Amino acid sequence: MTTFMLSDTTAGKISAQFTHLRHQMGAPAIGMVLTLVVVCEERHQYDALRAATDAAREHPSRIIVVISREVEEPIRLDAELRIGESTPGEVVVLRLYGELTQHADSVVSPLLLPDTPVVVWWPGAAPDVPSKDAIGALAQRRITDARGFDDGGVKSLVTRARGYASGDTDLAWARLTPWRSLLAAAFDQPVGKVRKGLVEASPGNPSAPLLAAWLSERIGAPIKVAESSGPGLTAVRLQLNDGELAVVRSDARLATLSRPGQPDRNVALTRRHTSELMAEELRRLDSDEIYEAAVKRFARTYKG
């Protein structure tokens, strides 16, 4: 992998340097399917870039990391470029200083790959309305992470619902994919009417109310959230006329599925890394109506 540093530079010089490096290495800019813009703080950039790079092994991308630094300093743009065999695509880490922090979109826009989708990801705090953010407006897909908020994320889901636009999603929802798949499969056989239910999770886990809202929307029964010792989601319990349908996860890999009149069985229910969640989100660039329905239902019922 080749790393090249540019200090006090411009977007035009960065583009020219990428072209030079590709020609130097004999690696033309083909095969990249999207531009992934990661907007984060300095403290998040290492983990976020690692997750984005791992996800790009499935979706070769130009990854643009945008870090706003000290507003009080003179205007300056520093860039770190990475290209090579160990990098699935191209990476540029931008550090913006001074008034340039208020105009990050003017730096990012010239660096977007032409004629390919743009995805923006905020690993930490995100704008109240991502689609109206200057960088978010450049994207077809906007990914937030409620877990990255200081309040634990549950309250931020209300903000996500109020500011929702087509193309928005949240990693709190992606974390539910294995749970939703398992619960949907449990209903492949008739189980009778669900009277009520309970989702158990560690305190403040934002995925729990989303799962409860989704379940309530799908089965037409009240679903509450209860605290457990965690980590993360630990159980879903649905009360039927003849007993309980339950999925209880005891560790980071396996869960137990229980249904009335049938023996318990172990099922795979693995806690996934952020890179796996991002790879899943990058597989679809259309609107996720099911997420929209779940987050808006939660917001309507939230009493915190």
Side-chain angles (χ1 to χ4, degrees), residues 27-56:
I30 59 174
M32 289 187 285
V33 298
L34 58 87
T35 302
L36 174 60
V37 183
V38 183
V39 183
C40 65
E41 298 178 30
E42 191 72 63
R43 62 192 173 113
H44 294 145
Q45 71 91 12
Y46 177 82
D47 289 338
L49 181 55
R50 183 174 61 179
T53 302
D54 287 345

Side-chain angles (χ1 to χ4, degrees), residues 5 8 16 57 63 86 110 112 139 144 146 155 159 162 168 173 183 191 198 237-238 252 273 289:
M5 307 296 293
D8 198 7
R57 301 190 190 284
I63 301 170
S86 62
L112 303 177
T144 54
K155 291 181 181 179
T159 305
R162 291 172 179 167
D168 290 356
W173 178 248
L183 289 165
V191 297
L198 192 66
R237 305 180 189 277
L238 302 177
H273 297 294
E289 291 85 2

Side-chain angles (χ1 to χ4, degrees), residues 42-89:
E42 191 72 63
R43 62 192 173 113
H44 294 145
Q45 71 91 12
Y46 177 82
D47 289 338
L49 181 55
R50 183 174 61 179
T53 302
D54 287 345
R57 301 190 190 284
E58 181 177 331
H59 311 276
S61 314
R62 172 174 285 182
I63 301 170
I64 303 173
V65 181
V66 182
I67 304 170
S68 294
R69 297 297 299 266
E70 291 78 9
V71 179
E72 298 79 10
E73 290 201 13
I75 294 176
R76 191 173 88 246
L77 171 63
D78 295 341
E80 177 184 339
L81 284 62
R82 304 177 189 176
I83 186 172
E85 293 182 0
S86 62
T87 302

Side-chain angles (χ1 to χ4, degrees), residues 41-294:
E41 298 178 30
E42 191 72 63
R43 62 192 173 113
H44 294 145
Q45 71 91 12
Y46 177 82
D47 289 338
L49 181 55
R50 183 174 61 179
T53 302
D54 287 345
R57 301 190 190 284
E58 181 177 331
H59 311 276
S61 314
R62 172 174 285 182
I63 301 170
I64 303 173
V65 181
V66 182
I67 304 170
S68 294
R69 297 297 299 266
E70 291 78 9
V71 179
E72 298 79 10
E73 290 201 13
I75 294 176
R76 191 173 88 246
L77 171 63
D78 295 341
E80 177 184 339
L81 284 62
R82 304 177 189 176
I83 186 172
E85 293 182 0
S86 62
T87 302
E90 300 171 342
V91 174
V92 55
V93 180
L94 305 174
R95 290 181 171 87
L96 288 66
Y97 296 83
E99 292 183 12
L100 198 59
T101 60
Q102 308 301 315
H103 306 282
D105 56 312
S106 65
V107 178
V108 170
S109 185
L111 299 176
L112 303 177
L113 291 174
D115 304 319
T116 57
V118 177
V119 179
V120 178
W121 172 36
W122 291 269
D128 288 349
V129 184
S131 63
K132 294 185 178 180
D133 175 77
I135 293 181
L138 301 172
Q140 290 78 42
R141 187 80 161 161
R142 294 164 296 275
I143 304 171
T144 54
D145 190 353
R147 203 168 69 175
F149 282 71
D150 292 337
D151 66 359
V154 174
K155 291 181 181 179
S156 73
L157 290 176
V158 178
T159 305
R160 297 280 76 79
R162 291 172 179 167
Y164 178 85
S166 178
D168 290 356
T169 192
D170 196 281
L171 292 188
W173 178 248
R175 292 183 182 96
L176 294 176
T177 299
W179 284 88
R180 295 193 298 121
S181 298
L182 181 55
L183 289 165
F187 281 85
D188 284 346
Q189 301 177 11
V191 297
K193 182 175 177 58
V194 178
R195 296 164 51 201
K196 60 181 179 179
L198 192 66
V199 174
E200 300 175 5
S202 54
N205 185 296
S207 293
L210 274 183
L211 182 57
W214 172 76
L215 276 169
S216 185
E217 184 88 10
R218 305 298 288 183
I219 63 180
I223 309 293
K224 295 184 178 181
V225 175
E227 293 184 357
S228 71
S229 58
L233 288 165
T234 54
V236 173
R237 305 180 189 277
L238 302 177
Q239 295 299 319
L240 313 174
N241 289 329
D242 58 348
E244 181 182 78
L245 188 157
V247 177
V248 180
R249 181 162 63 182
S250 55
D251 59 31
R253 298 179 298 107
L254 293 174
T256 301
L257 173 62
S258 305
R259 287 184 288 195
Q262 298 188 27
D264 294 353
R265 65 185 182 94
N266 291 329
V267 291
L269 195 58
T270 305
R271 291 174 61 84
R272 299 185 296 166
H273 297 294
T274 303
S275 59
E276 297 173 280
L277 303 176
M278 286 299 298
E280 175 186 321
E281 290 300 332
L282 296 179
R283 291 183 198 122
R284 62 175 300 169
L285 298 173
D286 58 331
S287 180
D288 190 341
E289 291 85 2
I290 301 176
Y291 162 71
E292 178 186 2

